[in-house]
Amino acid sequence: PVLISARSLNNGLVLWQQLLRPAGTNKVPHGGYISGRACAIAADDTLLLIDRDGVATLDAETGQARGRVAGPKPDGQIKWMGLQSNVLVVLAGEADVVQTITYQTVAANPNGRELAAYEWPGGKELWKTSLPGDVDERLIAVKDDQIYALAKGAGMLGMELRTGKCLWTNSSEELQADFTVPPSKQLGDFLFSQPGMMAVDDTLVLRARWAKSTTVLSRADGKRLWRKAY
């Protein structure tokens, strides 16, 4: 289990504490903590926490439960969430198959393809869709008014935040091959290296320790700006 603590910025006093546990550990509150997963968002006076197949909302000052947003896949697992421009976006997949690798707790199935958006605050569903391929929870990002996701077999998708409409697709097979996660046995027993994607300024930056190159795409149309070995 992992302890989450809330402290006062004025004096450092602990305001409240709660445990986060892997989703496979019975059906405990806020199940869904996995190394590398975006499992919490601080939004003004509210803390959002992944809670198995939904998102729990807590009072940021007291830790008391406020409500819950149901995700797009009942009995599944929220793999990723982001908050941008008063829109909460979540990616859901099958329930986690928990895998422990020495110092980390990871999911053997960190992928999902059910994507949904909700008004925030409020939690009213704006839209939901099934993506054309599985998306790794570390290869999805939201910035400004767009969502970006690398879908297996389809490529990089650029979608409109408020409607879910696909604006462009980069179907490069090379891009997909570069960032397909190898079997865990090839990554070592002591540290499970994970891929990452960041939306920075007008670009998308994709990187993984085991990938041969760093790749940068344009956020405007998904075209590759450069790919260089390191």
Side-chain angles (χ1 to χ4, degrees):
V2 174
L3 184 69
I4 183 171
S5 298
R7 292 180 179 270
S8 168
L9 286 176
N10 295 322
N11 52 32
L13 291 177
V14 174
L15 300 175
W16 55 269
Q17 294 179 323
Q18 289 196 28
L19 288 176
L20 300 179
R21 298 177 186 269
T25 309
N26 299 320
K27 287 195 172 183
V28 298
H30 317 318
Y33 175 79
I34 291 292
S35 299
R37 175 174 289 166
C39 64
I41 296 175
D44 297 325
D45 62 350
T46 303
L47 181 69
L48 288 73
L49 287 178
I50 286 179
D51 183 23
R52 300 184 304 277
D53 59 358
V55 177
T57 60
L58 281 65
D59 185 291
E61 189 170 341
T62 66
Q64 294 298 309
R66 283 185 168 175
R68 192 173 187 276
V69 178
K73 189 174 179 63
D75 298 321
Q77 175 68 49
I78 302 298
K79 306 290 185 176
W80 170 91
M81 64 177 176
L83 181 62
Q84 181 74 34
S85 304
N86 295 322
V87 177
L88 172 67
V89 191
V90 301
L91 174 72
E94 298 296 334
D96 281 338
V97 176
V98 175
Q99 180 180 5
T100 301
I101 302 179
T102 311
Y103 302 112
Q104 291 175 286
T105 298
V106 300
N109 57 335
N111 309 304
R113 64 169 62 189
E114 307 304 320
L115 191 66
Y118 308 84
E119 286 184 349
W120 186 259
K124 178 182 176 182
E125 184 181 290
L126 295 174
W127 55 266
K128 64 181 177 181
T129 189
S130 293
L131 298 174
D134 285 342
V135 174
D136 187 292
E137 64 190 7
R138 284 88 43 146
L139 294 175
I140 181 171
V142 59
K143 186 174 177 62
D144 298 330
D145 294 322
Q146 291 189 28
I147 309 165
Y148 309 94
L150 184 60
K152 184 177 181 180
M156 183 65 73
L157 311 174
M159 295 165 283
E160 196 169 67
L161 177 60
R162 288 201 165 270
T163 66
K165 177 183 177 182
C166 187
L167 302 174
W168 53 258
T169 301
N170 179 339
S171 56
S172 166
E173 293 183 2
E174 183 178 60
L175 176 66
Q176 296 177 64
D178 278 351
F179 294 97
T180 297
V181 181
S184 58
K185 290 182 180 179
Q186 296 180 19
L187 300 176
D189 293 328
F190 295 100
L191 188 61
F192 188 88
S193 180
Q194 300 170 335
M197 180 173 75
M198 298 184 296
V200 182
D201 296 329
D202 295 328
T203 66
L204 296 172
V205 182
L206 292 93
R207 180 76 169 83
R209 183 173 179 81
W210 35 262
K212 296 180 180 180
S213 304
T214 296
T215 298
V216 175
L217 308 177
S218 166
R219 287 206 299 124
D221 55 16
K223 292 182 179 179
R224 191 177 77 187
L225 299 177
W226 55 266
R227 174 180 181 268
K228 295 186 182 296
Y230 62 92

